[in-house]
Amino acid sequence: MRHCLLLVLALVTGLVLTGCNGPSPEAKTVTVYADAAASDALRAGARVFRQTRTVTEVRVQPGGSNDVVDRLTGGAQGDALVVPETGMKRAQRAGLISGGVWTVARDGLVLVVAKGNPLDITGLDSIGEDVGLALCDDADPCASEARELADDADVRLMPESRGKDALAVRDMVATGKEDVGITYASVAATHPDGIDVIPLPGAERVVRVQAALLADSRSPGPAEDFVKFLASPQGQAALRERGFTAP
């Protein structure tokens, strides 16, 4: 009775409640768990997004694709997920996703080598046993995608080092730890100093980057707005500037 009297009082004084014990107003912060390769593009897009929205903040939580899914499965709270298709399928099987999935971009695989390409690497078939190769850990989708590409080219990959994600692979080459790495085109595009990029024919658009709402989102409305923004011309421009291509 006391709660309902409070409701009447609130209505009389002009307040709007959703029930006798209504929830607090929807939060205005959107937390996006994302594959590390997309994190810079998402932050750039978020700056444009906030210019015309009431969302106070878009927080990007980056990591390897499988890593972010594991964190969410373990109880981490978020509002949206942006990962390659393989990671999104894992999230769907785990019951983490609410509603549909949007393909917001494509990414590709490239070789990264030291500046000036001192070993004259031209493709997968020029990576000999004496060349230090870096690949992603097997738990990350970029490893399986690289091996599939190598199998199609009838090339055996023998990595000397493994990186936790595509950024780590790029940095191993940029710092001189390894001679060549297989990473995402978007990742290579964000580190032009210290590396050269060797395109891999047929691998330009092998990765679908997908976005979806998380089932336990505390800001489902703003989160959906942000996901849809990524498919808009402004969102696509932010993705293209960082090495992604159109869906």
Side-chain angles (χ1 to χ4, degrees):
M1 175 67 72
R2 180 175 179 272
H3 291 304
C4 290
L5 287 174
L6 288 174
L7 174 59
V8 172
L9 180 60
L11 292 173
V12 171
T13 57
L15 297 175
V16 179
L17 301 179
T18 58
C20 293
N21 289 295
S24 60
E26 186 176 51
K28 297 300 182 183
T29 297
V30 174
T31 300
V32 182
Y33 278 80
D35 186 86
S39 59
D40 284 346
L42 293 177
R43 291 189 182 100
R47 289 192 288 271
V48 178
F49 175 78
R50 290 176 58 195
Q51 292 174 4
T52 56
R53 269 74 170 183
T54 58
V55 172
T56 58
E57 187 176 4
V58 176
R59 296 176 180 170
V60 179
Q61 300 285 352
S65 178
N66 284 335
D67 173 60
V68 296
V69 173
D70 288 343
R71 286 154 65 188
L72 290 166
T73 303
Q77 195 282 324
D79 301 298
L81 179 66
V82 181
V83 290
E85 184 177 20
T86 51
M88 188 61 71
K89 287 180 177 178
R90 279 196 67 216
Q92 288 177 306
R93 289 194 297 268
L96 298 174
I97 303 304
S98 172
V101 171
W102 290 264
T103 297
V104 295
R106 295 268 190 154
D107 205 349
L109 292 173
V110 296
L111 297 179
V112 288
V113 298
K115 202 72 175 178
N117 193 10
L119 297 181
D120 196 27
I121 302 295
T122 58
L124 294 176
D125 57 356
S126 62
I127 304 175
E129 293 184 6
D130 58 338
V131 176
L133 171 65
L135 287 183
C136 293
D137 286 334
D138 283 336
D140 194 279
C142 74
S144 58
E145 289 153 357
R147 291 199 179 281
E148 183 176 344
L149 187 68
D151 288 344
D152 290 344
D154 197 23
V155 172
R156 184 185 179 192
L157 298 178
M158 300 179 64
E160 284 191 2
S161 298
R162 295 300 193 105
K164 66 178 182 178
D165 54 36
L167 274 76
V169 168
R170 177 202 65 191
D171 291 346
M172 286 179 182
V173 177
T175 59
K177 181 177 180 180
E178 296 297 354
D179 301 316
V180 59
I182 303 177
T183 188
Y184 291 133
S186 60
V187 169
T190 60
H191 196 302
D193 298 329
I195 61 171
D196 282 345
V197 178
I198 312 297
L200 291 171
E204 297 88 347
R205 289 170 53 83
V206 296
V207 181
R208 295 175 186 265
V209 180
Q210 298 187 324
L213 304 183
L214 291 169
D216 68 345
S217 172
R218 296 173 183 170
S219 301
E224 182 175 2
D225 196 19
F226 180 67
V227 168
K228 290 181 177 179
F229 165 81
L230 294 176
S232 73
Q234 288 178 311
Q236 289 292 295
L239 290 165
R240 284 197 306 273
E241 286 174 2
R242 285 154 180 82
F244 294 94
T245 57

